[in-house]
Amino acid sequence: GDSVTQTEGPVTVSESESLIINCTYSATSIAYPNLFWYVRYPGEGLQLLLKVITAGQKGSSRGFEATYNKETTSFHLQKASVQESDSAVYYCALGGQGGRALIFGTGTTVSVSP
Amino acid sequence: GGIITQTPKFLIGQEGQKLTLKCQQNFNHDTMYWYRQDSGKGLRLIYYSITENDLQKGDLSEGYDASREKKSSFSLTVTSAQKNEMAVFLCASSRRRDEAPLFGEGTRLSVL
C-alpha cells in the first residue's frame, strides 16, 4: 500500500549543529507521487514547509532542504545549522495523482538546545 | 487572505455522547478533509470530500459521520464518544486532491 516512514523522535540537537530527518515512502497506488514536509511549531497550526512534485528535484524553505529521490524512495529533510526556533514537530507526507489524500508519517519532534 | 476555522477549539464529552465538530474555509477550495492526530501515530484520514455533498471514507471512518452541505463547510460527528479518548481533529482544505492542503488549528477532544 501507500505509506510513509520517518525518523522516530524525539531528536535533540544543539544550536548550529546539522539536522537530518529521514523519510522513505511507498507509493503503490499513486501514479506520480508528490512529497511534502509539514511543520508544527509550538502553539501553532500545521503548515506546509516545502513540497517537491518532480523526482530528482530539491525543495527548500527556511534553510531546510529535501531532495526527491525516486531510486531510494526517500525525501530526507536536512538543515546545515539549526536554530532554537527550529524546535517543532516535522511531518513527511505523500500525495499525488491517484491518491485519495495526503498520507502522513508519524511526525518527528525536534528540540534544539541553545 | 483565507482562513480555516474550526469550532470548538476544545471539546469535552461524556462516554457514549454524540459530538459534532465544525470546519469552515473561505479559500473556495473544492476538497476538504478531516484527519485525526494521536500522539505517536501521525495524522490519519477520517473522511474527505471533493465537492459539495460528496463524502469519501478514509482509513479511520468507523465511528464517525461527516457532512458537506456547503462548499465552504465540512462537519464531523463522533457518533459515540469513547471513554478516555483524547485526540486532536484537524480539518484541511485544498483546491485539488493532489495539492498540499492547508490546515485549521484543530479541535482537541477529551472524553470523560
Side-chain angles (χ1 to χ4, degrees):
Chain A
D2 303 324
S3 65
V4 173
T5 303
Q6 64 180 99
T7 300
E8 275 199 36
V11 173
T12 302
V13 292
S14 298
E15 210 164 23
S16 77
E17 285 187 347
S18 64
L19 171 70
I20 180 164
I21 303 172
N22 291 331
C23 172
T24 56
Y25 68 90
S26 169
T28 55
S29 69
I30 300 174
Y32 299 98
N34 297 339
L35 295 166
F36 308 84
W37 278 101
Y38 277 79
V39 60
R40 191 178 75 242
Y41 297 105
E44 297 185 20
L46 193 62
Q47 56 187 281
L48 181 67
L49 178 61
L50 56 86
K51 68 177 181 183
V52 180
I53 64 173
T54 304
Q57 298 294 310
K58 179 168 69 178
S60 59
S61 174
R62 304 181 200 181
F64 286 90
E65 293 182 340
T67 300
Y68 181 166
N69 190 320
K70 189 176 179 182
E71 285 68 39
T72 59
T73 62
S74 66
F75 191 54
H76 307 320
L77 183 69
Q78 303 183 70
K79 188 169 186 180
S81 177
V82 296
Q83 301 171 326
E84 207 174 338
S85 57
D86 293 322
S87 296
V89 184
Y90 295 84
Y91 294 89
C92 185
L94 164 71
Q97 187 179 14
R100 296 179 303 163
L102 257 61
I103 297 166
F104 285 82
T106 54
T108 302
T109 300
V110 173
S111 296
V112 180
S113 55
Chain B
I3 190 170
I4 297 174
T5 303
Q6 291 188 237
T7 54
K9 288 193 187 325
F10 299 94
L11 183 56
I12 299 176
Q14 302 289 329
E15 185 181 12
Q17 193 176 1
K18 187 174 177 179
L19 304 166
T20 299
L21 292 69
K22 294 186 184 296
C23 177
Q24 297 263 354
Q25 53 95 3
N26 61 0
F27 292 101
N28 199 35
H29 283 165
D30 287 320
T31 308
M32 295 186 74
Y33 312 82
W34 277 107
Y35 283 91
R36 175 181 165 131
Q37 182 175 34
D38 294 274
S39 177
K41 292 186 180 176
L43 279 70
R44 293 180 290 171
L45 182 67
I46 306 172
Y47 269 97
Y48 70 102
S49 166
I50 62 173
T51 189
E52 187 177 323
N53 292 320
D54 174 74
L55 290 176
Q56 308 281 342
K57 291 184 177 181
D59 297 325
L60 210 63
S61 61
E62 190 170 334
Y64 301 94
D65 288 328
S67 173
R68 182 101 183 267
E69 293 177 352
K70 293 190 302 184
K71 185 176 181 179
S72 62
S73 68
F74 193 29
S75 63
L76 180 73
T77 298
V78 180
T79 56
S80 179
Q82 300 300 303
K83 189 174 175 63
N84 297 323
E85 181 175 6
M86 285 182 64
V88 177
F89 291 84
L90 294 174
C91 176
S93 72
S94 62
R95 198 160 48 105
R96 297 193 318 256
R97 251 185 309 171
D98 57 350
E99 288 192 349
L102 301 172
F103 281 83
E105 296 205 349
T107 293
R108 188 173 296 274
L109 171 68
S110 296
V111 180
L112 305 177

